[in-house]
Amino acid sequence: EDVDIIFTRLKEVKAFEKFHPNLLHQICLCGYYESLEKGITLFRQGDIGTNWYAVLAGSLDVKVSETSSHQDAVTICTLGIGTAFGESILDNTPRHATIVTRESSELLRIEQKDFKALWEKYRQYMAGLLAPPYGTPLIEPHVPLRPANTITKVPSEKILRAGKILRNAILSRAPHMIRDRKYHLKTYRQCCVGTELVDWMLQQTSCVHSRTQAVGMWQVLVEDSVLNHVDQEHHFQDKYLFYRFLDDEHEDAPLPTEEEKKECDEELQDTMLLLSQMGPDAHMRMILRKPPGQRTVDDLEIIYEELIHIKALSHLSTTVKRELAGVLIFESHAKGGTVLFNQGEEGTSWYIILKGSVNVVIYGKGVVCTLHEGDDFGKLALVNDAPRAASIDFNRILRDVEANTVRLKEHDQDVLVLEKVPAGNRASNQGNSQPQQKYTVMSGTPEKILEHFLETIRLEPALNEATDSVLNDFVMMHCVFMPNTQLCPALVAQYPFVPSQGTEQEKMDYALNNKRRVIRLVLQWAAVYGDVLQEDDVAVAFLEEFYVSVSDDARMITALKEQLPELEKIHKVLLQQFNTSDERAQKRQPIRGSDEVLFKVYCMDHTYTTIRVPVAASVKEVISAVADKLGSGEGLIIVKMSSGGEKVVLKPNDVSVFTTLTINGRLFACPREQFDSLTPLPEQEGPTVGTVGTFELMSSKDLAYQMTIYDWELFNCVHELELIYHTFGRHNFKKTTANLDLFLRRFNEIQFWVVTEICLCSQPSKRVQLLKKFIKIAAHCKEYKNLNSFFAIVMGLSNVAVSRLALTWEKLPSKFKKFYAEFESLMDPSRNHRAYRLTVAKLEPPLIPFMPLLIKDMTFTHEGNKTFIDNLVNFEKMRMIANTARTVRFCRSQPFNPDAAQANKNHQDVRSYVRQLNVIDNQRTLSQMSHRLEPRRP
């Protein structure tokens, strides 16, 4: 069971994805887990190695020194997730480099004796992962490189088959599409038209959601020369251009037989699924093969979307990434051993690995490491050495960005850094031949960033929407760098501001417009924060005082009267007591930090005490409440206990601890010396009998509908700010993320519900019915645009305790296997979940997004970018995180209107069932149950 759990984790690591399952199981048996902080030296150059390593999380620097003192050590590259190193233990040669953790990292470690045994048995699988001389030998001479614009690939068997299936399907279903075509007095034999091929593919399957996606799928066939442009162009285009299938290159190509037509009908959906999985990569390569000058705006946007998720580029600004999108060039090297550049040569390019791996070789030392997908190399030579003509003119981009940068200084220190960017065409700019420019904030002190936004707010009604979007980033993210205790006094100081220079009239005009701008910002701030402001005493006091000031001024200044009604509404909302409101009682309202909750805290003997504390209470406050009940609190600690027995001692400043528990988790209070004696409660184990008898009688559509209603209620309560608190650490804000916690827990609950019900079902035939039921429910959730529950169900079916039940899956009808394969393709994490992102981009709100991926995106941006640069707020980072958080607003921008046919049904039993799921959340227990259902085959 332990092996199953480790196996599931390792399967997700790129370094192991091509390993034979037997080899991976052996690694699970002998591997050790290492967790290292930043700056730890794993081993030094010259040491005799004792272990082999693979990177599971984080990154490590590879340093090479010319002397034994290591003082001159130079970092030559960085090893990222999925990288493996340390194979010198096979022949006891000294380590070729020093390895130091660049950040907190997680490693898989295998000892020398175990690694040698694995190498002897599984050499053919491991050779591709290891560096020479154990992997592919370096035999190719150095050759000058050029952009890989030609495609000379020999078609693979599966793409040849895919081309045959598609050709036969077209001849069977739409034979008019393949025919002789005339253009400019020339006849092209047996051709199809690009636009018609795209139209046809969109009509054939539900797994193709856009024309762009279809273009990528046809590009797969073009790359393998299974579909060819009549003039041998290598980009498939959605235009009136002629393409010919490989089979039609020959005279009198045969028509499909009846047997072939039948095969085609059976295999078409699988073929479409295969191409939809390969399409995004092919489409990206197609764009990168174009000369930079021929890339369209859409092309640049697709490349940029790729670049923002590459860790090697995470520290670069948006502007630099957009510039890079315009100059990146695609290179393809089909042969292992091709030398990209030699040691000592002038660097001319910076490389990022899209696919494959690259060995780093030092003269006299051999291969020091292997780089994998997402790693980069060659940048330091470009930046540090003399200027040169580079394939990617990295220096030019950095110079251009710096040339467009304006730095405001006070006392010789930067206080505001702005970047000049094109402003776009506004109606007000028409007739002006000069290109319009605007300045975006890159970094600055909080006060100067606030001043800049106040100075640039446009007050014209027609520009309010544009103003809102500019202000939104500041008002959403200010809690990170300028909390209300700092913002509110700054706004109070700004409101009556009068400049010291100018005529009296100019001073009056400026003061009036400045007041209008401050009001504008306050209105936007209140709109974004909403009810959250009610819990902040500083914000409430400020808004009350501000409302009085503006009301007084409006009596004398007519221009302020138009903004007063909006401010009055906000003032009234602050005075409302929602706890006694009928509306709050009738429909689910967001949980607020001040709401009190009754909660059980358990003791070592499994007795409990019930305490009442605010949701946002800190652990210190929980201990105090428990101590009051128990009569003594000396040396008490609060422990979070999972159903599997994992124990975590909570820190005194941790907040909102009740909502962060796992599904079957419980809180325990005990003296520190009793920590080791704590055991889980019997009730934490979860159910012993499944509920299949109850919910098999319920319609799959009804279940999906009621799940969506409940999920929407939970999702609708999640405030955008909770995502920010979660990303930067809720304890830093002393705020609750209770609504987000519950929504994320719901995802896990549905996932474990699927696994629990299947593992508690002892009858094979019933288990097959359960698989069908869950696949149907997932399909209906997707139909209702409930992507959170859709993915939760699919991930439940992918859980190792379910996926290993081979005998059960074998009996599943092929129709359901195809549905499930299509669902899994949307979950494909390659290219940063591009398949999912393409699907979501085509959906209109309301929709419930896949929340764990949103959280992952925000965490990636947060961890890959510093919050402060040279003591200035990195506002570029704030903008990127705000942009992701706004996804929540987009998803809820239209009200959720229940399905009329479903809404009229009496669903009380279904409604109650989906809101009270009882699950086993212990993976070890579920794996044991799975093995009892279907023991491992010998």
Side-chain angles (χ1 to χ4, degrees):
E1 292 75 24
D2 292 343
V3 169
D4 282 342
I5 294 166
I6 304 168
F7 185 83
T8 303
R9 171 74 194 276
L10 293 189
K11 272 203 308 187
E12 298 169 357
V13 178
K14 188 151 193 71
F16 302 121
E17 66 180 13
K18 292 181 181 174
F19 275 15
H20 191 280
N22 291 347
L23 167 59
L24 205 49
H25 271 104
Q26 291 301 312
I27 289 175
C28 295
L29 285 167
C30 65
Y32 291 86
Y33 171 82
E34 295 272 352
S35 180
L36 303 175
E37 295 177 356
K38 178 181 178 181
I40 301 295
T41 300
L42 204 61
F43 51 75
R44 292 192 177 278
Q45 184 177 329
D47 290 351
I48 299 298
T50 56
N51 295 285
W52 177 84
Y53 299 90
V55 185
L56 301 177
S59 57
L60 303 93
D61 284 333
V62 179
K63 298 173 179 277
V64 173
S65 172
E66 294 300 322
T67 65
S68 58
S69 68
H70 304 291
Q71 296 299 311
D72 61 341
V74 175
T75 300
I76 59 169
C77 62
T78 301
L79 306 175
I81 295 170
T83 313
F85 59 96
E87 53 273 7
S88 62
I89 60 173
L90 286 172
D91 52 15
N92 290 322
T93 53
R95 299 291 197 189
H96 302 314
T98 299
I99 306 288
V100 182
T101 53
R102 186 184 184 87
E103 58 189 320
S104 295
S105 301
E106 296 175 25
L107 306 176
L108 175 79
R109 174 172 65 84
I110 299 180
E111 294 181 344
Q112 185 177 34
K113 63 178 184 349
D114 293 321
F115 189 75
K116 282 186 171 180
L118 289 173
W119 173 252
E120 290 303 318
K121 190 170 181 182
Y122 298 103
R123 183 188 302 247
Q124 71 272 31
Y125 299 114
M126 299 178 74
L129 180 65
L130 304 189
Y134 310 104
T136 312
L138 290 168
I139 50 172
E140 289 292 316
H142 174 53
V143 291
L145 299 174
R146 61 185 182 280
N149 289 320
T150 55
I151 302 172
T152 55
K153 206 172 182 179
V154 176
S156 68
E157 283 298 320
K158 62 182 179 182
I159 302 303
L160 270 174
R161 181 65 183 164
K164 189 175 285 291
I165 293 294
L166 291 177
R167 174 182 176 269
N168 288 348
I170 289 172
L171 287 171
S172 175
R173 301 177 182 195
H176 63 279
M177 285 175 58
I178 301 178
R179 64 177 191 270
D180 293 352
R181 312 258 182 178
K182 281 192 176 181
Y183 188 71
H184 284 192
L185 304 178
K186 186 174 179 181
T187 300
Y188 297 89
R189 291 189 55 264
Q190 295 300 94
C191 294
C192 308
V193 171
T195 38
E196 291 179 8
L197 288 173
V198 171
D199 290 338
W200 181 83
M201 187 166 276
L202 284 165
Q203 294 162 7
Q204 302 308 307
T205 176
S206 60
C207 73
V208 183
H209 308 283
S210 67
R211 301 190 75 82
T212 302
Q213 188 184 1
V215 166
M217 291 163 71
W218 286 117
Q219 179 64 26
V220 174
L221 301 185
V222 171
E223 278 195 345
D224 270 43
S225 302
V226 173
L227 182 74
N228 297 302
H229 185 274
V230 292
D231 291 332
Q232 301 307 307
E233 287 186 15
H234 302 298
H235 308 150
F236 181 87
Q237 296 186 64
D238 185 6
K239 292 182 178 177
Y240 191 79
L241 298 174
F242 299 155
Y243 296 90
R244 187 182 294 120
F245 281 99
L246 185 61
D247 285 353
D248 290 315
E249 299 282 350
H250 312 291
E251 292 280 345
D252 302 321
L255 294 172
T257 64
E258 287 304 313
E259 183 63 29
E260 286 175 326
K261 285 181 183 178
K262 187 180 174 186
E263 286 177 358
C264 157
D265 286 340
E266 289 173 356
E267 294 183 44
L268 183 60
Q269 292 308 313
D270 287 344
T271 299
M272 292 288 194
L273 190 59
L274 170 70
L275 295 177
S276 71
Q277 291 168 336
M278 301 176 73
D281 284 356
H283 193 236
M284 173 63 76
R285 289 191 294 269
M286 178 185 85
I287 292 169
L288 290 173
R289 278 192 175 97
K290 292 182 184 178
Q294 293 179 18
R295 291 172 191 167
T296 66
V297 173
D298 287 343
D299 291 343
L300 295 176
E301 194 60 31
I302 288 170
I303 301 173
Y304 169 72
E305 284 291 328
E306 182 79 13
L307 297 184
I308 61 177
H309 297 291
I310 292 178
K311 195 165 187 178
L313 310 180
S314 61
H315 65 289
L316 298 176
S317 72
T318 298
T319 307
V320 171
K321 286 174 192 163
R322 288 197 179 279
E323 285 268 347
L324 284 172
V327 297
L328 283 169
I329 294 171
F330 179 74
E331 284 189 5
S332 176
H333 303 286
K335 288 186 178 180
T338 301
V339 178
L340 295 181
F341 52 79
N342 283 312
Q343 186 177 340
E345 291 180 347
E346 282 196 0
T348 60
S349 297
W350 172 35
Y351 297 90
I352 303 164
I353 304 170
L354 276 182
K355 216 160 208 173
S357 58
V358 173
N359 291 315
V360 179
V361 183
I362 301 291
Y363 291 152
K365 296 184 172 66
V367 174
V368 293
C369 66
T370 302
L371 305 176
H372 294 274
E373 183 177 316
D375 293 331
D376 70 310
F377 58 97
K379 179 171 61 183
L380 286 175
L382 285 183
V383 177
N384 295 340
D385 295 344
R388 59 185 65 77
S391 299
I392 299 173
D393 195 349
F394 191 65
N395 288 306
R396 177 192 63 74
I397 290 173
L398 293 180
R399 281 199 304 271
D400 286 353
V401 170
E402 190 57 37
N404 285 316
T405 300
V406 176
R407 298 176 183 274
L408 178 65
K409 293 180 182 287
E410 286 183 1
H411 307 298
D412 235 15
Q413 296 289 321
D414 286 345
V415 292
L416 189 66
V417 180
L418 304 173
E419 188 175 53
K420 185 163 58 177
V421 295
N425 295 322
R426 289 201 180 99
S428 58
N429 295 334
Q430 285 180 358
N432 186 345
S433 60
Q434 293 298 314
Q436 298 299 305
Q437 303 284 335
K438 69 174 181 179
Y439 289 91
T440 62
V441 177
M442 300 300 289
S443 59
T445 64
E447 295 77 14
K448 287 300 172 187
I449 292 173
L450 172 62
E451 284 179 25
H452 171 78
F453 280 117
L454 284 173
E455 286 173 6
T456 54
I457 289 175
R458 305 290 292 271
L459 295 169
E460 298 90 327
L463 297 173
N464 275 355
E465 190 176 331
T467 303
D468 286 353
S469 65
V470 170
L471 281 181
N472 192 82
D473 297 337
F474 175 82
V475 297
M476 188 185 290
M477 300 301 300
H478 79 83
C479 58
V480 173
F481 57 88
M482 194 180 195
N484 287 338
T485 51
Q486 195 178 341
L487 175 68
C488 293
L491 290 171
V492 169
Q494 282 291 332
Y495 182 70
F497 177 75
V498 178
S500 56
Q501 296 178 333
T503 65
E504 285 304 311
Q505 186 60 45
E506 286 171 341
K507 287 180 183 178
M508 285 175 62
D509 289 345
Y510 183 92
L512 170 61
N513 284 332
N514 189 64
K515 286 186 176 186
R516 292 177 66 198
R517 290 191 189 101
V518 174
I519 296 169
R520 189 78 193 78
L521 189 145
V522 169
L523 290 172
Q524 178 76 358
W525 173 60
V528 169
Y529 275 62
D531 294 350
V532 175
L533 290 176
Q534 289 179 304
E535 296 185 75
D536 192 315
D537 293 340
V538 173
V540 170
F542 161 73
L543 283 167
E544 287 184 350
E545 181 186 334
F546 188 71
Y547 173 66
V548 171
S549 298
V550 176
S551 298
D552 290 344
D553 286 349
R555 291 192 189 98
M556 295 174 287
I557 306 171
T558 311
L560 295 183
K561 283 184 179 176
E562 64 186 47
Q563 291 172 297
L564 194 59
E566 284 185 74
L567 204 55
E568 195 168 5
K569 275 186 205 168
I570 293 163
H571 186 250
K572 282 181 180 175
V573 166
L574 286 174
L575 299 176
Q576 286 178 14
Q577 295 298 313
F578 279 117
N579 287 328
T580 59
S581 159
D582 289 339
E583 185 186 356
R584 186 173 174 87
Q586 285 169 12
K587 80 172 186 180
R588 187 183 190 93
Q589 293 294 320
I591 298 169
R592 295 184 291 181
S594 57
D595 290 346
E596 290 197 332
V597 61
L598 273 171
F599 210 85
K600 292 177 181 176
V601 178
Y602 293 85
C603 300
M604 192 184 74
D605 61 359
H606 290 183
T607 59
Y608 65 85
T609 182
T610 305
I611 61 171
R612 182 189 288 274
V613 290
V615 171
S618 67
V619 168
K620 193 174 178 181
E621 291 168 310
V622 171
I623 291 174
S624 176
V626 171
D628 284 347
K629 283 290 188 80
L630 296 179
S632 169
E634 186 108 18
L636 274 186
I637 57 171
I638 297 293
V639 179
K640 194 156 61 170
M641 170 91 74
S642 76
S643 59
E646 293 86 8
K647 296 174 282 193
V648 178
V649 179
L650 299 176
K651 297 172 186 171
N653 66 337
D654 286 343
V655 295
S656 194
V657 293
F658 307 114
T659 56
T660 58
L661 290 172
T662 54
I663 301 165
N664 292 336
R666 297 291 185 271
L667 279 189
F668 283 74
C670 68
R672 190 170 290 276
E673 59 270 17
Q674 291 181 3
F675 173 78
D676 291 334
S677 304
L678 291 177
T679 57
L681 303 166
E683 70 184 54
Q684 289 184 252
E685 292 178 9
T688 54
V689 179
T691 60
V692 61
T694 302
F695 84 91
E696 71 177 343
L697 302 174
M698 300 173 182
S699 145
S700 300
K701 189 163 190 175
D702 293 350
L703 283 161
Y705 174 73
Q706 286 300 325
M707 287 168 69
T708 302
I709 292 284
Y710 185 44
D711 289 357
W712 181 263
E713 288 177 16
L714 294 172
F715 174 55
N716 209 30
C717 289
V718 177
H719 199 289
E720 295 157 34
L721 288 168
E722 291 189 70
L723 277 77
I724 294 163
Y725 299 153
H726 184 281
T727 302
F728 286 86
R730 60 178 72 79
H731 60 277
N732 292 320
F733 305 91
K734 294 185 170 56
K735 298 286 187 185
T736 181
T737 56
N739 302 289
L740 176 61
D741 296 338
L742 290 179
F743 188 53
L744 290 172
R745 186 155 73 184
R746 176 64 175 174
F747 181 90
N748 292 330
E749 188 176 61
I750 292 173
Q751 190 178 171
F752 281 116
W753 169 55
V754 173
V755 189
T756 299
E757 292 297 341
I758 290 172
C759 288
L760 284 173
C761 184
S762 57
Q763 291 178 264
S765 59
K766 283 274 189 189
R767 279 203 303 279
V768 175
Q769 292 305 312
L770 267 176
L771 287 182
K772 288 166 64 176
K773 186 85 171 179
F774 284 125
I775 290 169
K776 282 181 185 178
I777 295 170
H780 288 303
C781 284
K782 185 165 172 273
E783 179 189 332
Y784 286 125
K785 295 188 282 191
N786 180 358
L787 301 177
N788 204 59
S789 282
F790 167 75
F791 276 102
I793 293 169
V794 177
M795 287 180 75
L797 293 170
S798 303
N799 186 290
V800 67
V802 176
S803 63
R804 64 167 297 281
L805 298 173
L807 297 175
T808 306
W809 284 95
E810 281 170 13
K811 293 172 184 171
L812 187 69
S814 58
K815 179 176 78 170
F816 286 91
K817 287 178 181 174
K818 285 179 181 177
F819 276 135
Y820 178 64
E822 183 184 323
F823 295 165
E824 274 201 312
S825 72
L826 277 178
M827 274 181 53
D828 182 9
S830 67
R831 290 286 169 266
N832 192 43
H833 297 272
R834 184 183 289 158
Y836 165 76
R837 296 180 196 279
L838 284 171
T839 302
V840 173
K842 300 302 172 187
L843 296 178
E844 294 295 325
L847 63 100
I848 304 175
F850 177 27
M851 186 58 82
L853 186 56
L854 271 182
I855 296 291
K856 178 190 167 191
D857 286 348
M858 293 182 72
T859 304
F860 178 88
T861 304
H862 172 50
E863 292 181 351
N865 299 273
K866 293 180 180 177
T867 302
F868 294 92
I869 300 173
D870 299 329
N871 295 321
L872 300 179
V873 177
N874 178 5
F875 200 74
E876 185 73 7
K877 171 179 176 174
M878 303 300 123
R879 190 178 290 114
M880 288 190 287
I881 288 181
N883 191 46
T884 305
R886 269 197 296 274
T887 304
V888 169
R889 189 181 308 175
F890 167 76
C891 293
R892 297 193 300 227
S893 58
Q894 294 296 324
F896 178 73
N897 295 315
D899 182 332
Q902 292 287 332
N904 293 330
K905 288 186 179 181
N906 183 4
H907 279 318
Q908 194 53 46
D909 56 337
V910 184
R911 183 180 186 277
S912 300
Y913 177 80
V914 301
R915 290 167 186 251
Q916 295 173 7
L917 300 177
N918 196 10
V919 306
I920 299 168
D921 68 347
N922 184 345
Q923 184 64 47
R924 184 186 300 273
T925 301
L926 291 166
S927 291
Q928 288 170 345
M929 293 163 65
S930 173
H931 280 275
R932 283 197 291 271
L933 293 174
E934 289 187 23
R936 185 183 286 126
R937 294 175 181 177

